[in-house]
């Protein structure tokens, strides 16, 4: 059996190699084809009304209006017009990230799990412990919990160290709960899935946190400040593509780890079953003494 760190490292390099597989590359284009036109359409039809609503909300807050008035006095009138679009983008990017994760979980994770199973574990039985609609409901439910956690944690984002760690931690927890479930939904039974998620909880959670920080990396392309407003349509497409790649890698990482754990679990069960057939007696119990056979005397 592999150790925990060896299993995580083995799954990591295998996931990186699988990202170059033609089927994975083709699947990574699907979320882009769905989320890209949708994001452009939303921007075209709803950008101006949403911008007016955000601007009106900011101006109704006395503290924000005081800050904006001070900016006007010091000659930074341009920032007044840029604050509302930047706030709107700050609200739209997490929604785009969550939507990309859901697209990967629904459309890519089952296909990539099957690819890993076919290439590494061709004899692995599919017990289908969770149907498709259960996986979708599981993903949506945990996504709502993650969004609620983001909303509740926003006041703490004003503290610089927490702003760097809280969002990736929430994304990592979401990825751990969604990808681990979806990977095992097709091949593991419900009992096997629960056992793996329980026995490997800490490694899977750590794996999720690592992928959470990876998922936060594409957000850096929005660090152009005011310039990002002019490049927003192109940055949105770039964000969707980068998020898709990161989440596809994360899904493959979970697939290699979880299917390896499932394979080892079934191997250990098979070994225990053979041991019981060879020695069905409880431990410490000795077999009863054999009966002595007395030869039958010939009749007189």
């Amino acid at each position: 059996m592999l150790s925990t760190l060896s299993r995580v490292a083995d799954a990591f390099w295998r996931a990186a190699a699988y990202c170059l597989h033609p089927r994975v590359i083709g699947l990574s284009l699907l979320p882009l084809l769905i989320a890209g036109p949708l994001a452009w359409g939303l921007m075209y039809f709803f950008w101006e009304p949403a911008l007016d609503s955000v601007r009106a909300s900011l101006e109704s807050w006395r503290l924000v209006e005081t800050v904006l008035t001070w900016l006007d006095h010091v000659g930074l009138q341009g920032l007044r017009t840029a604050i509302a679009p930047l706030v709107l983008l700050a609200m739209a990017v997490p929604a785009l990230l969550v939507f990309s994760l859901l697209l990967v979980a629904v459309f890519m994770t089952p296909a990539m799990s099957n690819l890993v199973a076919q290439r590494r574990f061709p004899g692995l039985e599919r017990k289908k412990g969770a149907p498709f609609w259960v996986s979708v409901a599981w993903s949506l439910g945990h996504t709502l919990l993650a969004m609620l956690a983001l909303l509740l944690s926003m006041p703490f984002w004003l503290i610089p160290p927490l702003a760097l760690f809280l969002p990736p931690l929430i994304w990592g927890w979401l990825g751990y709960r969604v990808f681990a479930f979806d990977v095992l939904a097709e091949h593991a039974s419900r009992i096997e899935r629960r056992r793996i998620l329980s026995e490997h909880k800490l490694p899977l959670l750590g794996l999720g946190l690592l992928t959470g920080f990876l998922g936060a990396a594409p957000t850096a392309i929005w660090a152009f400040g005011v310039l990002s407003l002019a490049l927003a349509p192109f940055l949105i497409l770039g964000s969707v593509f980068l998020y898709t790649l990161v989440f596809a890698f994360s899904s493959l990482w979970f697939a290699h780890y979880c299917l390896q754990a499932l394979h080892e679990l079934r191997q250990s069960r098979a070994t225990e079953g053979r041991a019981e057939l060879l020695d069905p007696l409880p431990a410490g119990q000795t077999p009863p003494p054999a009966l002595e056979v007395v030869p039958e005397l010939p009749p007189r």
Side-chain angles (χ1 to χ4, degrees):
M1 296 292 180
L2 296 174
S3 65
T4 299
L5 291 179
S6 299
R7 190 184 289 108
V8 170
D10 180 75
F12 175 85
W13 75 260
R14 289 182 184 274
Y18 272 59
C19 286
L20 302 177
H21 194 279
R23 190 186 304 180
V24 175
I25 296 175
L27 287 171
S28 64
L29 298 177
L30 183 59
L32 181 64
L33 295 176
I34 296 175
L38 181 60
W40 273 56
L42 291 175
M43 285 190 63
Y44 182 81
F45 289 105
F46 299 104
W47 176 261
E48 290 299 331
L51 193 60
D52 294 337
S53 177
V54 171
R55 187 177 291 113
S57 299
L58 291 176
E59 292 176 353
S60 64
W61 294 349
R62 182 172 301 178
L63 177 61
V64 175
E65 183 60 27
T66 302
V67 173
L68 293 177
T69 304
W70 177 80
L71 291 176
D72 292 339
H73 284 300
V74 298
L76 298 176
Q77 293 87 353
L79 290 180
R80 172 185 281 272
T81 60
I83 286 179
L86 290 176
V87 171
L88 186 57
L89 283 177
M91 297 169 60
V93 169
L96 188 65
L97 188 150
V98 170
F99 188 61
S100 301
L101 186 146
L102 288 177
L103 288 176
V104 171
V106 173
F107 293 104
M108 294 184 65
T109 301
M112 292 190 297
S113 299
N114 291 332
L115 176 64
V116 173
Q118 291 170 4
R119 292 173 64 90
R120 288 192 64 194
F121 312 104
L124 193 65
E125 180 184 359
R126 299 185 181 187
K127 295 190 177 181
K128 299 182 178 180
F132 178 76
W133 68 268
V134 173
S135 297
V136 173
W138 179 274
S139 300
L140 290 176
H142 284 80
T143 299
L144 292 177
L145 291 177
M147 297 299 291
L148 179 61
L150 282 174
L151 290 175
L152 294 177
S153 65
M154 277 185 176
F156 298 99
W157 294 9
L158 300 176
I159 305 174
L162 295 181
L164 297 176
F165 290 99
L166 281 179
L169 289 177
I170 295 174
W171 299 134
W173 174 84
L174 178 61
Y176 148 63
R177 298 296 292 175
V178 170
F179 289 137
F181 186 94
D182 287 344
V183 164
L184 296 171
E186 178 72 14
H187 292 83
S189 66
R190 184 173 60 179
I191 296 177
E192 289 174 332
R193 183 182 68 247
R194 289 179 176 177
R195 180 171 176 179
I196 291 175
L197 293 180
S198 175
E199 294 181 353
H200 298 266
K201 182 176 181 179
L202 289 180
L204 289 174
L205 183 57
L207 199 154
L209 295 180
L210 291 175
T211 56
F213 282 97
L214 288 177
T219 310
I221 69 174
W222 294 96
F224 294 102
V226 179
L227 183 60
S228 62
L229 299 178
L231 302 175
F234 305 99
L235 293 181
I236 284 177
L237 289 179
S239 297
V240 172
F241 182 68
L242 292 176
Y243 288 143
T244 300
L245 290 181
V246 169
F247 292 140
F249 169 77
S250 304
S251 180
L252 284 169
W253 199 355
F254 275 97
H256 282 286
Y257 185 95
C258 293
L259 293 182
Q260 176 68 32
L262 178 61
H263 177 66
E264 293 178 356
L265 175 62
R266 291 182 180 175
Q267 278 189 330
S268 64
R269 283 182 173 178
T271 303
E272 293 173 359
R274 286 193 296 268
E276 289 178 357
L277 291 177
L278 293 175
D279 186 15
L281 295 174
Q285 182 176 344
T286 57
L291 296 177
E292 182 179 358
V293 179
V294 180
E296 184 179 358
L297 297 175
R300 293 181 181 179

